[in-house]
């Protein structure tokens, strides 16, 4: 059985789910995790964050339910209000990190989100990927060059297409794929214990 995690790096609920996903991956090392970027902020949704008036209230709820913290760098970015979240750039970054270390995709997705939600770094900035690569033992020059390449654009579009083919438009969504059968395991929020229980019913 394979797990498919459809997320968006700029989705607060995806950030809150990252710890649960890491726990689940540790408990089920025989179930590889595929990470797919969903494309939350693309096209006309790429606007200054000040236009999303619900951000602070949503973050408080995410913290309460999942235990994650939002860092000072992120809080300053949100307070300024001019930052534009671009999910296509984030998907390019996720694609090149995943290509560099496929078996560590879930952990690298979490690192990507921490760069934004803790440090307040732009996921459109190549320097962010250099920092993530250095921190995770990857070749930073290779990662940055790949992020800037046309191949990253192709990979991002392929991720968005795969998310649509899977029927996912809420992030995060965790799927279990076993042969030709795909089952929704979680949408939005769940504990590792709840996921264990749901997955045990599929075996």
């Amino acid at each position: 059985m394979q797990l498919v995690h459809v997320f968006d790096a700029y989705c607060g609920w995806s950030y809150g789910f990252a710890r649960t996903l890491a726990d689940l991956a540790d408990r089920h090392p025989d179930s590889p995790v595929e990470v797919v970027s969903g494309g939350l902020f693309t096209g006309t949704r790429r606007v200054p964050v000040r236009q999303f008036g619900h951000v602070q209230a949503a973050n408080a709820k995410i913290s309460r339910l999942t235990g994650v913290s939002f860092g000072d760098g992120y809080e300053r970015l949100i307070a300024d209000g001019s930052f534009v979240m671009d999910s296509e750039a984030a998907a390019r970054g996720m694609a090149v990190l995943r290509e560099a270390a496929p078996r560590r995709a879930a952990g690298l997705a979490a690192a990507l989100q921490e760069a934004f939600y803790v440090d307040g770094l732009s996921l459109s900035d190549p320097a962010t990927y250099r920092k993530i690569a250095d921190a995770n033992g990857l070749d930073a020059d290779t990662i940055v060059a790949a992020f800037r390449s046309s191949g990253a654009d192709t990979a991002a579009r392929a991720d968005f297409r795969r998310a649509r083919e899977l029927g996912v438009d809420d992030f995060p969504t965790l799927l279990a794929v076993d042969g030709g059968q795909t089952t929704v395991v979680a949408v939005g929020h769940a504990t590792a214990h709840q996921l264990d229980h749901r997955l045990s019913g599929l075996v």
Side-chain angles (χ1 to χ4, degrees), residues 32-36 92-111 132-140 142-143 146:
V33 180
E34 177 189 0
V35 176
V36 178
R92 294 202 321 267
M94 184 64 238
V96 301
L97 291 168
R98 182 180 61 209
E99 177 68 21
R103 296 184 65 84
R104 296 165 55 194
L108 290 168
I132 294 171
D134 285 338
N136 288 276
L138 303 175
D139 187 298
T142 299
I143 294 294

Side-chain angles (χ1 to χ4, degrees), residues 24-41:
L24 187 70
D26 286 343
R27 296 182 191 197
H28 298 272
D30 54 335
S31 296
V33 180
E34 177 189 0
V35 176
V36 178
S37 295
L40 182 58
F41 298 104

